[in-house]
């Protein structure tokens, strides 16, 4: 991983255009080719980024100080350096990945096996669909063929909705997947998380662990 702290301005040119005026920022260049631009005031969410596969070209001559990142769709992230304050590279090796809570991991496995729980006609694309910022728990398609990203939690809170929002922003940049909508799935979803999800157009699905495991409710029923 290469870490660069620089005073720079950033321009994004693609389906949309965006401009970040000159300011000190952290630029992360990862081994997978991804490039992300960070400020010091918004936790882990980047100001802008380019996901792999993409190429970084550092300008020379008259273009010295201008970095251009281009992805396979031809979108560009242009970073204009004014002053580099720090530039270092570090070999992190292969990461073992996040070890999920046992119940969350089992919920993911069960839901993938019973993807129709989300709705009739749903089909699984894959579990642990990797992105530049981490794996999406489940990627699937609904009955209309639209791509759906599912984030699974044992207890659904606001941070889980934020996590899914970041995945959706990234996935919707991929023309082979877009448009991608999200489903926030949990055994229990907090009211604040449900409100935030609804505001962002994300669906909510309460998961019954025992039902997914095929265990019948032992309460008396009248038919």
């Amino acid at each position: 991983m290469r870490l660069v702290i620089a005073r720079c301005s950033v321009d994004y040119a693609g389906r949309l255009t965006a401009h970040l005026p000159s300011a000190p920022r952290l630029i992360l260049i990862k081994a997978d080719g991804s490039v992300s631009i960070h400020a010091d005031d918004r936790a882990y969410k980047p100001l802008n980024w380019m996901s792999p596969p993409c190429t970084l070209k550092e300008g020379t001559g008259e273009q010295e100080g201008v970095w251009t990142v281009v992805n396979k769709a031809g979108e560009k992230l242009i970073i204009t350096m004014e002053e580099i304050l720090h530039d270092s590279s570090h070999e992190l090796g292969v990461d073992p990945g996040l070890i999920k809570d046992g119940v969350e991991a089992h919920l993911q496995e069960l839901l993938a096996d019973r993807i129709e729980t989300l709705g009739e006609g749903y089909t699984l694309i894959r579990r642990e669909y990797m992105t530049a910022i981490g794996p999406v728990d489940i990627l699937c398609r609904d009955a209309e063929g639209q791509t759906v990203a599912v984030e699974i939690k044992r207890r659904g809170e606001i941070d889980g909705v934020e996590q899914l929002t970041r995945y959706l922003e990234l996935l919707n940049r991929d023309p082979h997947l877009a448009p991608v909508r999200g489903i926030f799935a949990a055994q229990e979803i907090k009211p604040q998380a449900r409100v935030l999800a609804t505001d962002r157009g994300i669906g909510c699905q309460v998961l019954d662990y025992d039902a997914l495991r095929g265990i019948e409710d032992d309460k008396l029923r009248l038919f």
Side-chain angles (χ1 to χ4, degrees):
M1 179 183 292
R2 183 179 176 188
L3 309 176
V4 179
I5 299 175
R7 178 173 290 280
C8 61
S9 59
V10 183
D11 291 279
Y12 171 78
R15 288 175 294 174
L16 303 172
T17 58
H19 174 71
L20 294 172
S22 175
R25 297 188 176 94
L26 168 65
I27 304 166
L28 297 182
I29 302 106
K30 295 187 178 180
D32 63 3
S34 63
V35 178
S36 56
I37 316 294
H38 297 261
D40 200 22
D41 64 346
R42 55 195 66 214
Y44 39 76
K45 186 175 181 179
L47 296 166
N48 212 324
W49 69 92
M50 192 69 80
S51 54
C54 59
T55 58
L56 168 62
K57 180 180 179 181
E58 299 182 33
T60 58
E62 293 183 358
Q63 292 296 310
E64 185 175 1
V66 178
W67 293 11
T68 304
V69 188
V70 183
N71 66 11
K72 61 182 180 182
E75 298 170 308
K76 294 182 179 181
L77 197 64
I78 301 168
I79 308 167
T80 303
M81 301 291 189
E82 297 175 16
E83 180 184 9
I84 294 179
L85 306 172
H86 174 86
D87 189 346
S88 64
S89 297
H90 308 271
E91 182 61 52
L92 301 185
V94 178
D95 191 90
L98 176 68
I99 299 175
K100 280 186 165 286
D101 173 277
V103 173
E104 285 186 16
H106 199 204
L107 279 170
Q108 182 194 115
E109 180 182 352
L110 290 169
L111 186 58
D113 287 341
R114 298 164 176 80
I115 199 67
E116 68 278 359
T117 301
L118 298 176
E120 186 176 352
Y122 273 69
T123 56
L124 178 69
I125 296 176
R126 67 169 297 168
R127 292 171 52 195
E128 298 285 333
Y129 185 89
M130 186 57 64
T131 75
I133 57 174
V136 177
D137 286 335
I138 290 178
L139 198 69
C140 57
R141 296 192 190 279
D142 63 17
E144 286 71 44
Q146 183 177 359
T147 310
V148 181
V150 185
E151 180 64 25
I152 299 171
K153 299 293 183 186
R154 185 158 56 98
R155 176 178 295 178
E157 301 188 25
I158 283 177
D159 59 349
V161 179
E162 294 283 7
Q163 183 179 0
L164 179 54
T165 299
R166 293 193 299 277
Y167 287 142
L168 290 171
E169 288 177 352
L170 192 61
L171 292 169
N172 273 299
R173 290 187 176 189
D174 187 336
H176 299 292
L177 297 175
V180 185
R181 64 182 179 88
I183 293 179
F184 188 50
Q187 287 181 279
E188 174 192 3
I189 299 177
K190 295 294 186 180
Q192 299 92 332
R194 187 179 291 274
V195 169
L196 181 60
T198 301
D199 181 68
R200 295 184 176 180
I202 294 171
C204 292
Q205 178 85 29
V206 175
L207 300 176
D208 186 325
Y209 187 42
D210 288 340
L212 285 172
R213 293 171 64 199
I215 299 175
E216 289 291 334
D217 191 342
D218 60 3
K219 294 179 182 177
L220 293 176
R221 299 178 182 177
L222 294 176
F223 295 94

